[in-house]
């Protein structure tokens, strides 16, 4: 299909009154997208290509700057008070330069500060597998848009799991890069030391191509990596705690497939996770940095912020400057220690989330929202803390709800992780 035909199909999905388009896509770039698709088709007819994603239909999260628009970050308060961006964010410019057709800005948790994906201001898009369930967040709209065919690739952010978590709950692929590879200038911040930018898509290959464009790198060669003797460590302890029945079945089944394909599985105890928990017991790096971003806004108009997000910001007020400095210095040492710990493994494996997507009704009360949010983010956020790269792959569903397999690699080993993920993806797909 041509770019124009694929764009029309995506717009039809967005406009479907029975679908989630109005909740998933906050801004739809109809005219701009049509012009970009026509230009891509004209290049194709002339035998010209800007790259592997020339003409790809892409959405971007509501925290990326687009010239002339207020970057809302899922907040009606910011929409009211914000100033239009002077220019596109670098990653948006790079996507356009590669011929990508940007179709929409997608919904998100306010300020990107929750893994549930709920947004009381613009509505919460229903999970594609069950509309009564949460989509996961914070890149909620992008995950739903991609899974529902409103775009082919959705660009999100990942500070504690915000691409991997919704991808797992919605049944697609979600990628978190080594943080330093993709520029975050022009991106509404949550935590300047943890924020990273990554894609969600239906395949590892599409994620790898989008990641390379945003990082300003050449497209990766995803040649088939051999599974025989691949060293896969299975994280023990906290990552396997409190799995629900669905995840407790799908994750071991995936490991069994890997082992039968010749993968060398090993059970890996990770005491460094306890060291991370000790750091976070002082309040956490992310909450302190998030409060710094929103402190003035919280003081002036706290009542206009999602109560669940406001409560998280307010809790960070008790974190002292000395504790923050101590946490950041200790974290730096733990990052180096984890990098050394993973040196003898090709990847580390664990469930992306310990549970399937909860029902929207199950997170309606504040205390239950807080509990479920922490559980959903548990396995993903640790790899932001340790500054690793990671990917979530959809596991075979067999008629059930989506679950994800997360593969983690050392910082800077992004291309190798993509190659491994591509062959594991093929194995899981049969």
């Amino acid at each position: 299909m041509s770019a124009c035909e694929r764009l029309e199909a995506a717009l039809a999905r967005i406009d479907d009154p029975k679908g989630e388009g109005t909740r998933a896509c906050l801004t739809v770039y109809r005219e701009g997208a049509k012009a970009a698709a026509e230009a891509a088709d004209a290049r194709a007819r002339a035998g010209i290509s800007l790259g592997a994603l020339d003409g790809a239909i892409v959405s971007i999260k509501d925290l990326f700057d687009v010239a002339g628009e207020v970057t809302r970050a899922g907040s009606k308060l910011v929409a009211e008070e914000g100033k239009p961006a002077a220019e596109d964010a670098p990653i948006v410019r790079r996507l356009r330069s590669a011929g990508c057709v940007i179709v929409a800005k997608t919904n998100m948790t306010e300020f990107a500060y929750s893994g549930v994906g709920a947004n009381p201001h613009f509505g919460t898009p229903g999970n594609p597998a069950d509309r009564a369930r949460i989509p996961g967040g914070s890149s909620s709209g992008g995950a739903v848009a991609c899974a529902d065919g409103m775009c082919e690739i959705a660009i999100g952010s990942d500070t504690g799991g915000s691409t991997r978590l919704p991808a797992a709950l919605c049944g697609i692929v979600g990628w978190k890069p080594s943080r330093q590879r993709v520029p975050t200038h022009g991106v509404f911040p949550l935590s300047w030391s943890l924020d990273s930018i990554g894609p969600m898509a239906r395949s590892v290959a599409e994620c790898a191509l989008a990641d390379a464009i945003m990082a300003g790198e050449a497209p990766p060669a995803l040649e088939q990596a051999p599974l025989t003797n691949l060293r896969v460590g299975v994280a023990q302890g906290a990552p396997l705690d409190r799995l629900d029945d669905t995840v407790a079945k799908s994750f071991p089944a995936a490991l069994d497939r890997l082992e039968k394909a010749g993968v060398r599985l090993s059970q890996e105890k990770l005491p460094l996770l306890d060291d991370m928990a000790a750091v976070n017991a002082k309040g956490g790096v992310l909450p302190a940095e998030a409060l710094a971003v929103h402190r003035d806004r919280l003081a002036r108009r706290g009542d206009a912020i999602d109560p669940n997000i406001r409560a998280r910001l307010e809790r960070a007020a008790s974190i002292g400057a000395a504790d923050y400095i101590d946490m950041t210095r200790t974290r730096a040492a733990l990052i180096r220690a984890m990098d050394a710990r993973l040196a003898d493994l090709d990847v580390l494996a664990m469930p992306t989330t310990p549970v399937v997507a909860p029902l929207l009704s199950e997170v309606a009360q504040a205390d239950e929202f807080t509990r479920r949010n922490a559980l959903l983010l548990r396995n993903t956020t640790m790899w932001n803390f340790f500054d690793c790269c990671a990917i979530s792959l959809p596991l075979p569903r067999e008629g059930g709800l989506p679950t994800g397999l997360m593969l983690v690699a050392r910082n800077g080993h992004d291309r190798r992780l993509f190659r491994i993920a591509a062959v594991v993806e093929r194995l899981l797909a049969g």
Side-chain angles (χ1 to χ4, degrees), residues 5 14 16 53 87 93 95 158 168 228 340 357 384 404 415 420:
E5 289 170 330
I14 292 172
D16 182 357
L53 292 186
E87 59 184 4
R93 291 200 302 270
L95 291 166
D158 191 311
T228 303
N384 299 83
R415 290 199 167 214
I420 293 170

Side-chain angles (χ1 to χ4, degrees), residues 12 32 40 45 50-51 64 78 99 103 109 116 119 121 157 175 188-189 195 210 215 236 270 311 315 354 382 404 408:
R45 288 192 296 270
L50 298 179
F64 297 111
V78 175
V103 65
T109 303
V116 171
N119 188 307
H121 309 301
S157 65
W175 170 256
F188 197 103
D195 290 345
Q236 302 297 297
L270 300 169
R315 284 195 293 271
M382 58 183 66
V408 179

Side-chain angles (χ1 to χ4, degrees), residues 46 51 86 89 132 157 193 217 230 341 407:
S157 65
S193 65
E217 299 174 356
L230 189 73
R341 174 66 179 82
L407 302 178

Side-chain angles (χ1 to χ4, degrees), residues 75-78 80-81 110-111 120-121 294-311 313-314:
S75 171
K76 284 195 172 180
L77 173 58
V78 175
E80 294 172 7
E81 298 185 342
E110 188 169 21
F111 306 147
H121 309 301
H294 297 289
R295 180 168 51 184
D296 174 68
R297 190 174 290 114
L298 184 65
R300 290 186 299 102
R301 298 281 305 278
D303 60 336
I305 299 171
D306 175 352
N308 289 311
I309 307 305
R310 184 175 70 239
L313 291 170
E314 289 172 342

Side-chain angles (χ1 to χ4, degrees), residues 344-381:
D344 292 333
L345 298 171
D346 291 306
V347 293
L348 198 65
M350 67 192 69
T352 309
T353 62
V355 296
V356 298
L359 292 166
L360 287 162
S361 60
E362 292 174 331
V363 296
Q365 300 301 318
D367 56 346
E368 193 62 14
F369 180 100
T370 299
R371 188 185 74 81
R372 301 241 183 184
N373 182 61
L375 183 61
L376 287 164
L377 287 165
R378 185 193 68 198
N379 287 5
T380 54
T381 192

Side-chain angles (χ1 to χ4, degrees), residues 51-326:
L53 292 186
D54 195 353
I57 313 302
V58 176
S59 68
I60 57 175
K61 193 173 180 176
D62 194 40
L63 45 60
F64 297 111
D65 282 354
V66 171
E69 297 181 9
V70 173
T71 305
R72 293 165 295 211
S75 171
K76 284 195 172 180
L77 173 58
V78 175
E80 294 172 7
E81 298 185 342
K83 296 180 180 179
E87 59 184 4
D88 288 351
I91 67 107
V92 174
R93 291 200 302 270
R94 290 176 179 181
L95 291 166
R96 294 193 200 277
S97 296
C100 294
V101 177
I102 297 179
V103 65
K105 259 192 177 179
T106 53
N107 199 357
M108 56 181 283
T109 303
E110 188 169 21
F111 306 147
Y113 203 15
S114 156
V116 171
N119 188 307
H121 309 301
F122 299 105
T124 301
N127 190 300
D130 180 350
R131 299 302 187 193
R133 295 180 181 272
I134 68 164
S138 64
S139 305
S140 53
V144 172
C146 181
D148 274 351
M150 302 176 206
C151 64
E152 295 164 344
I153 299 170
I155 308 301
S157 65
D158 191 311
T159 306
S162 290
T163 56
R164 291 162 290 154
L165 191 163
L169 298 188
C170 292
I172 57 175
V173 180
W175 170 256
K176 178 222 171 294
S178 297
R179 184 183 55 83
Q180 75 281 359
R181 290 182 50 252
V182 180
T184 56
H185 178 70
V187 182
F188 197 103
L190 176 60
S191 166
W192 51 81
S193 65
L194 294 167
D195 290 345
S196 59
I197 309 304
M200 298 173 286
R202 289 184 175 273
S203 71
V204 171
E206 289 170 309
C207 282
L209 291 169
D211 170 79
I213 289 169
M214 293 189 293
E217 299 174 356
L222 296 183
E223 68 274 9
Q224 186 161 348
L227 282 174
T228 303
N229 293 325
L230 189 73
R231 300 164 302 174
V232 175
V234 182
Q236 302 297 297
L240 299 182
D241 185 34
R242 289 179 290 163
L243 304 185
D244 70 13
D245 290 344
T246 303
V247 178
K249 179 180 178 181
S250 63
F251 179 65
L255 295 181
D256 184 59
R257 287 196 186 195
L258 289 172
E259 191 166 38
K260 288 178 179 177
V263 169
R264 292 165 52 192
L265 297 179
S266 59
Q267 294 185 356
E268 301 293 332
K269 295 180 180 179
L270 300 169
L272 286 167
L273 297 182
D274 296 328
D275 297 329
M276 176 196 70
V279 172
N280 288 336
K282 297 179 180 179
V285 173
L286 192 163
E289 293 183 351
L291 180 62
V293 172
H294 297 289
R295 180 168 51 184
D296 174 68
R297 190 174 290 114
L298 184 65
R300 290 186 299 102
R301 298 281 305 278
D303 60 336
I305 299 171
D306 175 352
N308 289 311
I309 307 305
R310 184 175 70 239
R312 296 190 75 189
L313 291 170
E314 289 172 342
R315 284 195 293 271
S318 63
I319 302 172
D323 283 336
Y324 173 73
I325 293 169
D326 182 53

